[in-house]
């Protein structure tokens, strides 16, 4: 792995499939032990920082939420010495106060997905349980909030993102229940990314870009792919502005709590680790070898 200044990863969601602001862009097609990532990663410079951009759903939006290979995506980013990830993701608002085209920076998650096996790197002889009480990097979230405010963008710093399976949008009954639980926004992709990033000792924060009011707001047209398209385009431009502002200010040394998350997570004694699993998790377990 590179000894240079660690890189910053950007995972682009619905509407954000490329970043023309990345200079000297090069494609990186990476094979991982978990299969192929969503697409080639685009490496280059934003300011003086090395960044790697990955379109979550592939260029052309070809991959549904339940088809995403989250382990391959995060493994590929970590193999390129990424130690910070900013996720951009389209969400529905579950509360009146969060309007389409606002940005919400989640501080908490509620996981309603059903695929645990694909949401951890561990197993196969190495047991680990990362602390996930605070699933988002507070430092990185606050940096995003400051950047958005300085640009005059409507931003909400903190809130709970509920992760549903999809790919269909919610029923009205589901949407109402999520509202009553006090959740703020709903999406289909971000919890697995956050869990895997924590295991990979990457600091992650999310820009949840609001496109609609889900379907709880009966006076509004129920959410459909067609109704949110204009908001997706506008939100992508907003996200790019924030990224350009914040990336030069991300620290160059990975010293935040997330960067040592495995210190308190690994359960299996080192002498019992299977060599094949150590090899498979090379980018993640490198400092323990």
């Amino acid at each position: 792995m590179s000894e240079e200044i660690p890189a910053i990863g950007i995972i682009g969601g619905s509407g954000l499939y490329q970043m023309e602001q990345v200079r000297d862009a090069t494609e990186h097609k990476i094979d991982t032990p978990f299969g192929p990532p969503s697409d080639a990663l685009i490496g280059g410079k934003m300011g003086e920082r090395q960044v790697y951009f990955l379109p979550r759903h592939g260029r052309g939006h070809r991959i549904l939420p339940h088809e995403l290979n989250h382990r391959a995506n995060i493994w590929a980013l970590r193999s390129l010495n990424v130690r910070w990830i900013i996720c951009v993701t389209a969400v529905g608002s579950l509360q009146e106060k969060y309007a389409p085209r606002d940005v919400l920076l989640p501080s908490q998650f509620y996981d309603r997905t059903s695929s645990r096996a694909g949401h951890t790197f561990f197993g196969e002889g190495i047991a680990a349980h990362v602390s996930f009480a605070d699933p988002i990097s507070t430092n990185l979230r606050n940096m995003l909030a400051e950047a958005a405010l300085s640009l005059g963008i409507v931003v909400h710093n903190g809130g709970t993102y509920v992760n549903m399976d999809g790919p269909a949008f919610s029923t009205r009954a589901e949407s109402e229940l999520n509202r009553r639980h006090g959740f703020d926004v709903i999406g289909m992709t971000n919890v697995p990314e956050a869990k895997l990033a924590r295991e990979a000792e990457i600091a992650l924060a999310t820009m949840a870009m609001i496109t609609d009011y889900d379907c709880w707001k009966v006076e509004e047209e129920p959410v459909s792919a067609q109704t949110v398209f204009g908001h997706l385009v506008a939100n992508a431009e907003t996200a790019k502005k924030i990224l350009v502002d914040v990336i030069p200010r991300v620290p160059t040394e990975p010293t935040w709590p997330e960067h040592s998350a495995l210190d308190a997570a690994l359960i299996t004694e080192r002498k019992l680790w299977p060599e094949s699993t150590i090899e498979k998790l090379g980018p993640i377990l490198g400092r323990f070898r």
Side-chain angles (χ1 to χ4, degrees):
M1 284 174 47
S2 168
E3 293 303 318
E4 297 174 358
I5 292 172
I8 300 162
I10 303 165
I11 298 179
S14 302
L16 184 57
Y17 309 111
Q18 59 188 30
M19 285 281 299
E20 58 274 12
Q21 292 84 355
V22 176
R23 301 191 327 273
D24 306 322
T26 54
E27 280 200 6
H28 299 259
K29 292 186 177 175
I30 296 178
D31 294 319
T32 87
F34 301 97
S38 294
D39 210 321
L41 285 82
I42 307 300
K45 296 281 186 163
M46 288 181 73
E48 296 305 310
R49 295 302 295 275
Q50 179 67 38
V51 299
Y52 291 97
F53 175 77
L54 177 65
R56 181 185 289 112
H57 299 280
R59 282 171 282 191
H61 204 117
R62 299 170 285 107
I63 307 169
L64 281 169
H66 68 280
E67 297 176 311
L68 288 169
N69 191 339
H70 293 289
R71 289 188 294 186
N73 288 346
I74 301 299
W75 192 101
L77 287 162
R78 187 67 178 84
S79 76
L80 292 167
N81 203 16
V82 164
R83 302 306 303 274
W84 297 267
I85 291 176
I86 300 170
C87 296
V88 181
T89 187
V91 297
S93 168
L94 295 169
Q95 306 295 336
E96 187 83 46
K97 60 187 173 183
Y98 307 128
R101 305 198 185 189
D102 286 5
V103 180
L104 185 136
L105 307 175
S107 51
Q108 281 295 326
F109 289 115
Y110 193 89
D111 190 359
R112 293 211 152 154
T113 62
S114 54
S115 177
R116 284 193 303 182
H119 300 171
T120 181
F121 289 115
F122 291 97
E124 297 182 16
I126 305 179
H129 300 275
V130 290
S131 174
F132 208 55
D134 296 302
I136 289 284
S137 168
T138 303
N139 290 328
L140 192 53
R141 174 169 59 85
N142 287 337
M143 290 179 74
L144 290 168
E146 288 163 15
L149 284 169
S150 73
L151 294 165
I153 292 162
V154 179
V155 62
H156 309 276
N157 189 4
T160 299
Y161 172 125
V162 57
N163 202 139
M164 64 182 286
D165 270 325
F169 294 118
S170 301
T171 66
R172 291 195 198 277
E174 291 164 342
S175 196
E176 272 299 335
L177 185 65
N178 285 325
R179 271 171 53 73
R180 287 177 195 166
H181 279 312
F183 304 145
D184 296 297
V185 294
I186 186 164
M188 302 179 189
T189 58
N190 200 215
V191 166
E193 293 169 344
K195 286 183 176 178
L196 290 160
R198 183 62 55 88
E199 289 187 350
E201 298 190 318
I202 297 170
L204 176 145
T206 295
M207 287 193 280
M209 317 298 289
I210 296 172
T211 59
D212 57 86
Y213 281 109
D214 203 34
C215 62
W216 61 269
K217 200 171 182 191
V218 291
E219 64 269 26
E220 297 266 338
E221 186 180 350
V223 57
S224 72
Q226 213 55 46
T227 59
V228 303
F229 184 76
H231 295 315
L232 284 175
V233 173
N235 285 347
E237 292 310 308
T238 298
K240 289 174 185 177
K241 288 176 188 170
I242 297 172
L243 289 165
V244 166
D245 185 88
V246 81
I247 278 171
R249 298 192 277 112
V250 172
T252 55
E253 292 292 322
T255 58
W256 292 351
E258 298 82 18
H259 295 129
S260 55
L262 292 181
D263 284 350
L266 291 158
I267 306 296
T268 311
E269 282 188 68
R270 173 65 181 82
K271 65 184 180 183
L272 299 176
W273 293 3
E275 199 56 45
S276 58
T277 307
I278 297 171
E279 200 63 37
K280 186 175 183 179
L281 301 183
I284 294 158
L285 294 176
R287 69 187 182 91
F288 296 96
R289 298 189 79 155

